[in-house]
Amino acid sequence: MKLTKTFITSLILLLIFSVQELSAQDLMTNIYGRNVQSLNGKWDAIIDLYDQGRKNKIYLNKKAEGKTDFYEYSFDHGLRLNVPSDWNSQMPELKYYEGTVWYARKFDTPRNAEKRLFLYFGAVSYRCRIYLNGKEIGKHEGGFTPFQIEVTDLVKEKDNFLAVEANNTRTVDAIPAMAFDWWNYGGITRDVFFVSTPGVYIKDYFIQLDKDKANRIDAQVKLSENSANANVQIEIPELTIKQSFTTDNEGIAKISIDVKKLERWSPESPKLYKVIVSSDNDRIEEMIGFRNLAVKGTEVYLNDKPIFLKSISFHEEIPQRKGRAFSESDAVMLLSEAKALGCNMIRLAHYPQNEYIVRTAEKMGFLLWEEIPIWQGIDFENESTKLKAGNMIKEMVMRDKNRCALAFWGVANETQPSAPRNEFLKYLISCCKEIDNTRLIVAAFDLVRFNREKQLFEMDDPFIDNLDVVAINKYMGWYHAWPLAPEKAVWNVAPNHPLIISEFGGEALYGQSGDAEVVSSWSEEYQEKLFRDNLTMFKNIPNLRGTSPWILFDFRSPFRFHPTNQEDWNRKGLVSDQGYRKKAWYLMKEYYDNIK
Ligand code: GCB
């Protein structure tokens, strides 16, 4: 009895004092279409290597008063960091920094009693706690997805003090975990907004073409409160659509609308329509495209026609700046190079990239594959890691489900078969489907082996039956020597599924010429030959429906120590860190240009 009482008391205390863990269910759809005030710009910062800041409550931002007072910190007149941006590229001392950095800024905002107010962060890497006017108001884990907190009752008209405790320490239970082949950038890496909405606002909507019909739009709208019988309206002026419908007991309204003469979105013609969603108190608009996507047998169909996916990957990084990409012009730079290569798809490696990239890609005509960083080394046996991954993937799907460009949700990259892995990945698939059961589910594997007896490339991982499309990373000519001539290299991998080669390639230092037969020449000639050999082999993959070379640009990675050829850069880029195209780029372009 006594034990139970203690237990209940501690539970109550825990509930009262524990800080809200911010999650996917708090997110509102289409933040860029809301009434926002940007909090981007210079923020004050304090580097807190030994994690003393929280203990000393530096988020209170106290100033010494009287004769005996003093504080061993101040946010005034110290370090200033750009937001958004990683911290690593802003000061030489922070290049390799892994730990805590405090960010703080003040802001004013006109109070309006009828409005609700939220803070929105596009991403903070990797974990953070948020403090407003001296109070801890929420925490978040996951460096590549957005989160938001309601602050209606906490905001003042003048002099709000917002502090963020950001930490990018690698841990075994994190996603990604202890080692990964990209830079561990820390900081407030994406937009920060102060958002205001009406009291009852349009929280979420999902508007897309019926999975199997070219002339029916399915729409679902959810209000912030569970109010039944509330009116909502969808308007698509160009299609002369204006339809009203009402919410059910959960505040959700659903409708299917038949349309005539809809121009479907495609990479060749990325048509988007202005869609206006309104309720009694709220109105929001967004450009939305419509398309049909399906897998039948071993084909991927876009708008009822089989498509070959001419894909490429890049990290969310501007190589010339040696830092994270965060703006619309960064997105244009990255995507223009993919356009020039002749691509119709981007595999956003290896994590959800910022919304400018996703939205600009859709406008420019790229299909997208988006994934969370389930990248090798994940602790599949850890229940809390699994729940974290589930939340992360939901945040990704919540954010981007209205982008018709989004074709694939990726659940993993290079995992080894095991019961806990299977359970973990199945859970992630169920998290995607809970929000959106229309996209194709994919995962990338590195398990293809050459079977000497059968003289065939094969893979054994029954998990592939949970997927719509199977993707293979295979570095022939780089991590694996050719066991036979490329033209004789025949594949029998996932023969009943469409297959994408989601990674292949090798390293070359731009401007270095050398022996096309010798891997360690790190030469453009070797890389070009490697591409030629792989493209030859691809003719022998009967179910091949797409390729995605690794990778568009050289990228920074602490994995890569070679003193002259790498210097902390993965040199598999088709384009160098200085923006120069390597020889293999031209070969790949020719390959893509010849696929109609
Ligand atoms: C892989 C990984 C990718 C690496 C790449 C490499 O298989 O998926 O993240 O960067 O190989 O360069 O080794």
Side-chain angles (χ1 to χ4, degrees):
M1 182 65 195
K2 199 162 171 240
L3 222 170
T4 324
K5 227 175 170 180
T6 323
F7 177 73
I8 293 172
T9 323
S10 11
L11 201 70
I12 292 171
L13 284 177
L14 198 76
L15 284 175
I16 295 172
F17 292 111
S18 70
V19 176
Q20 188 193 351
E21 187 86 51
L22 303 164
S23 71
Q25 74 203 31
D26 304 311
L27 288 172
M28 62 177 93
T29 296
N30 184 16
I31 211 74
Y32 287 87
R34 309 273 172 173
N35 182 4
V36 300
Q37 173 184 334
S38 167
L39 296 181
N40 292 346
K42 294 272 182 202
W43 287 46
D44 300 314
I46 291 174
I47 300 170
D48 183 11
L49 182 62
Y50 289 171
D51 280 314
Q52 294 301 298
R54 197 182 322 152
K55 235 186 294 180
N56 291 313
K57 301 196 173 145
I58 70 173
Y59 49 84
L60 295 177
N61 195 30
K62 292 249 174 127
K63 311 278 177 242
E65 281 168 18
K67 286 192 175 168
T68 54
D69 242 11
F70 70 94
Y71 296 100
E72 290 187 89
Y73 73 90
S74 170
F75 283 99
D76 304 333
H77 316 298
L79 177 62
R80 307 254 287 159
L81 291 175
N82 288 322
V83 171
S85 180
D86 58 89
W87 62 55
N88 314 68
S89 61
Q90 298 193 54
M91 276 173 80
E93 292 82 347
L94 291 175
K95 178 176 172 186
Y96 292 101
Y97 184 72
E98 296 187 312
T100 297
V101 172
W102 288 81
Y103 287 77
R105 65 162 290 159
K106 294 204 167 129
F107 67 95
D108 299 336
T109 178
R111 278 299 275 124
N112 173 340
E114 275 152 49
K115 295 277 180 205
R116 288 172 72 173
L117 305 168
F118 300 84
L119 280 169
Y120 169 90
F121 291 81
V124 178
S125 181
Y126 164 81
R127 55 182 77 73
C128 65
R129 290 168 183 258
I130 312 293
Y131 307 83
L132 181 62
N133 298 331
K135 186 173 181 300
E136 184 172 351
I137 56 171
K139 54 183 181 179
H140 184 260
E141 180 166 349
F144 304 100
T145 44
F147 58 92
Q148 133 206 334
I149 322 165
E150 178 152 19
V151 291
T152 310
D153 299 330
L154 296 168
V155 180
K156 307 178 287 184
E157 227 169 281
K158 291 247 166 292
D159 259 357
N160 290 288
F161 183 75
L162 175 62
V164 175
E165 179 189 3
N167 175 288
N168 69 338
T169 307
R170 285 165 296 120
T171 58
V172 283
D173 63 342
I175 307 158
M178 292 305 285
F180 37 91
D181 191 17
W182 63 87
W183 208 263
N184 183 21
Y185 290 115
I188 306 179
T189 54
R190 295 188 191 157
D191 288 336
V192 185
F193 293 143
F194 186 66
V195 189
S196 77
T197 71
V200 178
Y201 63 95
I202 298 166
K203 179 158 186 199
D204 182 27
Y205 55 86
F206 190 11
I207 300 169
Q208 57 166 349
L209 212 49
D210 183 295
K211 196 161 166 40
D212 308 307
K213 295 198 176 72
N215 57 357
R216 176 171 295 176
I217 293 173
D218 292 331
Q220 176 169 323
V221 180
K222 187 174 179 352
L223 299 180
S224 57
E225 309 315 306
N226 293 356
S227 41
N229 293 322
N231 290 322
V232 296
Q233 193 182 66
I234 298 242
E235 212 182 322
I236 311 178
E238 213 185 318
L239 294 172
T240 57
I241 290 176
K242 195 173 189 173
Q243 292 260 356
S244 295
F245 47 121
T246 50
T247 54
D248 61 16
N249 289 339
E250 287 168 9
I252 299 177
K254 288 185 189 169
I255 195 169
S256 291
I257 308 168
D258 288 329
V259 279
K260 287 185 204 117
K261 285 217 177 142
L262 175 81
E263 193 190 323
R264 287 184 288 184
W265 180 98
S266 69
E268 301 74 45
S269 171
K271 170 74 186 161
L272 300 175
Y273 289 91
K274 187 206 270 188
V275 177
I276 304 157
V277 184
S278 47
S279 65
D280 289 345
N281 319 310
D282 202 5
R283 181 186 189 278
I284 182 161
E285 58 177 71
E286 176 161 35
M287 299 304 289
I288 292 185
F290 301 98
R291 52 94 189 109
N292 296 104
L293 182 71
V295 161
K296 285 180 210 148
T298 63
E299 294 289 351
V300 178
Y301 286 82
L302 180 69
N303 298 332
D304 316 314
K305 282 191 249 128
I307 184 170
F308 188 86
L309 303 161
K310 304 184 219 177
S311 177
I312 188 79
S313 281
F314 51 70
H315 275 286
E316 189 193 46
E317 181 180 72
I318 299 297
Q320 293 91 335
R321 200 171 60 216
K322 300 187 185 139
R324 280 259 172 258
F326 43 76
S327 65
E328 192 167 357
S329 66
D330 287 348
V332 170
M333 183 305 254
L334 296 167
L335 291 161
S336 300
E337 194 55 38
K339 203 54 167 186
L341 188 64
C343 298
N344 61 14
M345 177 164 132
I346 313 285
R347 176 187 179 203
L348 294 170
H350 278 297
Y351 37 78
Q353 300 195 6
N354 67 61
E355 266 201 79
Y356 295 112
I357 292 176
V358 172
R359 286 174 183 265
T360 310
E362 179 165 88
K363 274 193 235 159
M364 287 173 71
F366 293 103
L367 289 162
L368 293 171
W369 157 337
E370 201 167 33
E371 64 195 31
I372 58 164
I374 300 291
W375 191 94
Q376 302 177 5
I378 297 291
D379 186 0
F380 289 125
E381 297 188 26
N382 184 332
E383 187 62 19
S384 95
T385 301
K386 182 171 126 188
L387 296 177
K388 262 185 256 182
N391 183 55
M392 212 177 261
I393 211 158
K394 284 185 192 171
E395 287 171 338
M396 171 177 91
V397 178
M398 273 299 289
R399 193 192 74 175
D400 291 337
K401 63 183 184 300
N402 284 308
R403 303 279 68 76
C404 71
L406 247 149
F408 295 98
W409 300 130
V411 294
N413 182 68
E414 302 191 343
T415 59
Q416 306 307 311
S418 74
R421 186 233 27 198
N422 294 352
E423 201 204 314
F424 193 112
L425 297 190
K426 277 188 197 161
Y427 172 67
L428 293 187
I429 295 174
S430 74
C431 289
C432 288
K433 296 204 163 167
E434 193 182 306
I435 306 172
D436 164 34
N437 63 8
T438 68
R439 272 18 183 252
L440 305 178
I441 304 284
V442 68
F445 299 90
D446 61 344
L447 301 166
V448 166
R449 302 276 177 268
F450 184 64
N451 182 328
R452 288 193 180 273
E453 253 166 55
K454 296 193 201 155
Q455 293 284 297
L456 276 177
F457 281 90
E458 292 180 335
M459 179 174 90
D460 183 20
D461 190 342
F463 189 79
I464 60 171
D465 289 332
N466 295 290
L467 305 171
D468 296 304
V469 172
V470 175
I472 303 295
N473 301 346
K474 190 73 192 167
Y475 285 87
M476 292 309 300
W478 189 253
Y479 297 125
H480 313 282
W482 289 93
L484 76 180
E487 60 276 16
K488 300 215 168 98
V490 176
W491 283 44
N492 179 29
V493 175
N496 303 321
H497 290 79
L499 187 145
I500 300 176
I501 296 289
S502 39
E503 291 180 25
F504 72 99
E507 300 204 22
L509 182 63
Y510 170 72
Q512 182 149 297
S513 51
D515 193 329
E517 302 296 329
V518 178
V519 186
S520 64
S521 68
W522 302 83
S523 64
E524 285 193 52
E525 286 79 5
Y526 185 81
Q527 191 193 37
E528 184 187 32
K529 161 90 170 23
L530 177 151
F531 267 71
R532 197 180 300 287
D533 288 346
N534 276 276
L535 298 179
T536 301
M537 175 178 74
F538 295 163
K539 293 186 192 139
N540 305 329
I541 307 180
N543 51 338
L544 185 70
R545 299 297 172 255
T547 53
S548 199
W550 191 255
I551 185 171
L552 189 52
F553 299 97
D554 287 354
F555 62 96
R556 296 175 79 215
S557 169
F559 254 59
R560 310 294 167 182
F561 331 112
H562 193 282
T564 55
N565 295 314
Q566 293 181 309
E567 298 176 275
D568 276 345
W569 288 86
N570 183 318
R571 298 285 184 199
K572 295 193 185 71
L574 291 173
V575 179
S576 78
D577 57 322
Q578 299 298 308
Y580 284 99
R581 294 171 182 168
K582 303 181 194 172
K583 290 186 192 309
W585 189 95
Y586 295 92
L587 198 69
M588 202 56 218
K589 169 153 180 67
E590 195 188 332
Y591 177 72
Y592 278 164
D593 284 351
N594 286 329
I595 298 174
K596 296 293 168 218

Coordinates of all heavy atoms in Angstrom, one line a residue, residues 181-182 315 347 350 375-376 413-414 446 473 475 479 503 507 550 555 560 570 572, ligand 1:
D181 N 28.9 8.8 -41.8 CA 29.8 9.4 -42.8 C 29.3 10.7 -43.3 O 29.0 11.0 -44.4 CB 29.9 8.4 -44.0 CG 31.0 8.8 -44.9 OD1 31.8 9.6 -44.6 OD2 31.0 8.3 -46.1
W182 N 29.2 11.7 -42.3 CA 29.0 13.1 -42.6 C 29.3 13.9 -41.4 O 29.6 13.3 -40.3 CB 27.5 13.4 -43.1 CG 26.4 13.2 -42.2 CD1 25.9 14.1 -41.3 CD2 25.6 12.0 -42.0 NE1 24.9 13.5 -40.6 CE2 24.6 12.2 -41.0 CE3 25.6 10.7 -42.7 CZ2 23.7 11.3 -40.6 CZ3 24.6 9.8 -42.3 CH2 23.7 10.1 -41.3
H315 N 24.1 15.7 -49.6 CA 23.9 16.0 -48.2 C 23.4 17.5 -48.1 O 23.5 18.2 -49.1 CB 25.2 15.9 -47.4 CG 25.4 14.5 -46.9 ND1 24.7 13.9 -45.9 CD2 26.3 13.5 -47.3 CE1 25.1 12.7 -45.7 NE2 26.1 12.4 -46.6
R347 N 17.5 11.6 -54.0 CA 17.5 10.9 -52.8 C 18.1 11.8 -51.7 O 19.3 12.0 -51.8 CB 18.3 9.5 -52.9 CG 18.3 8.8 -51.5 CD 19.2 7.6 -51.5 NE 19.2 7.0 -50.2 CZ 20.1 6.2 -49.7 NH1 21.2 5.9 -50.4 NH2 20.0 5.8 -48.5
H350 N 21.1 11.8 -45.7 CA 20.5 10.6 -45.2 C 19.4 10.9 -44.2 O 19.2 10.1 -43.3 CB 21.5 9.7 -44.5 CG 22.4 8.9 -45.4 ND1 21.8 7.9 -46.2 CD2 23.7 8.9 -45.6 CE1 22.8 7.3 -46.9 NE2 24.0 7.9 -46.6
W375 N 21.1 4.9 -40.0 CA 22.3 4.7 -40.8 C 23.3 3.8 -40.1 O 23.9 4.2 -39.1 CB 23.0 6.0 -41.1 CG 24.1 6.0 -42.1 CD1 23.9 6.3 -43.4 CD2 25.5 5.8 -41.8 NE1 25.2 6.2 -44.0 CE2 26.1 5.9 -43.1 CE3 26.2 5.4 -40.7 CZ2 27.5 5.7 -43.2 CZ3 27.6 5.2 -40.9 CH2 28.2 5.3 -42.1
Q376 N 23.4 2.5 -40.5 CA 24.2 1.6 -39.8 C 24.1 1.7 -38.2 O 23.4 2.6 -37.8 CB 25.7 1.7 -40.2 CG 25.8 1.5 -41.7 CD 27.3 1.7 -42.2 OE1 28.2 1.9 -41.4 NE2 27.5 1.6 -43.5
N413 N 19.0 2.7 -44.0 CA 20.1 2.6 -44.9 C 21.1 1.6 -44.3 O 21.7 1.9 -43.2 CB 20.8 4.0 -45.0 CG 21.9 4.0 -46.0 OD1 21.7 3.8 -47.2 ND2 23.1 4.1 -45.5
E414 N 21.3 0.5 -45.0 CA 22.4 -0.4 -44.7 C 22.2 -1.0 -43.3 O 23.0 -0.7 -42.3 CB 23.8 0.2 -44.8 CG 24.0 0.7 -46.2 CD 25.4 1.2 -46.6 OE1 26.2 1.4 -45.6 OE2 25.7 1.3 -47.8
D446 N 22.9 -3.1 -48.1 CA 24.3 -3.3 -48.7 C 24.6 -4.8 -48.7 O 25.8 -5.1 -48.4 CB 25.3 -2.4 -48.0 CG 25.4 -2.7 -46.5 OD1 24.5 -3.4 -46.0 OD2 26.4 -2.3 -45.9
N473 N 22.7 -0.4 -52.2 CA 24.0 0.3 -52.3 C 25.1 -0.7 -52.6 O 25.3 -1.7 -51.9 CB 24.3 0.9 -50.9 CG 23.3 1.9 -50.4 OD1 22.4 2.3 -51.2 ND2 23.3 2.3 -49.2
Y475 N 29.1 -0.8 -54.1 CA 30.3 -0.1 -54.5 C 31.3 -0.9 -55.3 O 32.4 -1.2 -54.9 CB 31.0 0.6 -53.3 CG 30.2 1.8 -52.8 CD1 29.1 1.6 -51.9 CD2 30.4 3.0 -53.3 CE1 28.4 2.7 -51.5 CE2 29.7 4.1 -52.8 CZ 28.7 4.0 -51.9 OH 28.0 5.0 -51.5
Y479 N 34.7 -0.4 -52.9 CA 34.9 -1.3 -51.8 C 35.0 -2.8 -52.2 O 35.4 -3.6 -51.4 CB 33.7 -1.1 -50.8 CG 33.7 0.2 -50.2 CD1 32.5 1.0 -50.3 CD2 34.8 0.8 -49.6 CE1 32.4 2.3 -49.7 CE2 34.7 2.1 -49.0 CZ 33.5 2.8 -49.1 OH 33.4 4.1 -48.6
E503 N 23.1 3.6 -54.3 CA 24.4 4.2 -54.2 C 25.4 3.3 -55.0 O 25.3 2.1 -55.0 CB 24.9 4.1 -52.7 CG 24.2 5.1 -51.8 CD 24.7 5.1 -50.4 OE1 25.8 4.7 -50.1 OE2 23.9 5.4 -49.5
E507 N 35.9 7.3 -55.1 CA 36.5 8.7 -54.8 C 37.5 9.1 -55.9 O 38.3 8.3 -56.4 CB 37.1 8.7 -53.4 CG 36.2 8.3 -52.3 CD 36.5 8.8 -50.9 OE1 37.3 9.8 -50.8 OE2 36.0 8.2 -50.0
W550 N 26.4 7.8 -55.8 CA 26.8 8.5 -54.6 C 28.1 9.2 -55.0 O 29.1 8.6 -55.3 CB 27.2 7.4 -53.6 CG 27.4 8.0 -52.2 CD1 28.6 8.2 -51.6 CD2 26.4 8.5 -51.3 NE1 28.4 8.8 -50.4 CE2 27.1 9.0 -50.2 CE3 25.0 8.7 -51.4 CZ2 26.4 9.6 -49.1 CZ3 24.3 9.3 -50.3 CH2 25.0 9.7 -49.2
F555 N 31.7 15.8 -49.9 CA 31.1 16.3 -48.7 C 32.1 16.0 -47.5 O 32.9 15.1 -47.5 CB 29.7 15.7 -48.4 CG 29.7 14.2 -48.2 CD1 29.8 13.6 -47.0 CD2 29.7 13.3 -49.4 CE1 29.8 12.2 -46.8 CE2 29.7 11.9 -49.2 CZ 29.7 11.4 -48.0
R560 N 37.1 10.3 -43.1 CA 37.9 10.3 -44.3 C 39.2 11.0 -44.0 O 39.3 12.3 -44.1 CB 37.2 11.0 -45.4 CG 35.8 10.5 -45.7 CD 35.8 9.0 -46.1 NE 34.5 8.4 -46.1 CZ 34.2 7.1 -46.4 NH1 35.2 6.3 -46.8 NH2 33.0 6.7 -46.3
N570 N 34.8 13.3 -48.0 CA 34.5 12.1 -48.8 C 34.5 12.6 -50.3 O 33.7 13.5 -50.6 CB 33.1 11.6 -48.4 CG 32.7 10.3 -49.2 OD1 33.0 10.2 -50.4 ND2 32.2 9.4 -48.5
K572 N 33.7 11.2 -53.1 CA 32.9 10.5 -54.1 C 32.0 11.4 -55.0 O 31.3 11.0 -55.9 CB 32.0 9.4 -53.5 CG 32.9 8.3 -52.8 CD 32.1 7.1 -52.5 CE 32.9 6.1 -51.7 NZ 33.3 6.5 -50.4
Ligands
GCB1 C1 27.5 4.1 -47.9 C2 26.7 5.0 -47.1 C3 27.0 6.5 -47.3 C4 28.5 6.6 -47.4 C5 29.0 5.8 -48.5 C6 30.6 5.9 -48.7 O1 27.2 3.0 -48.1 O2 25.3 4.8 -47.2 O3 26.4 7.2 -46.3 O4 28.9 8.0 -47.4 O5 28.7 4.5 -48.4 O6 31.1 6.8 -49.2 O7 31.2 5.0 -48.2

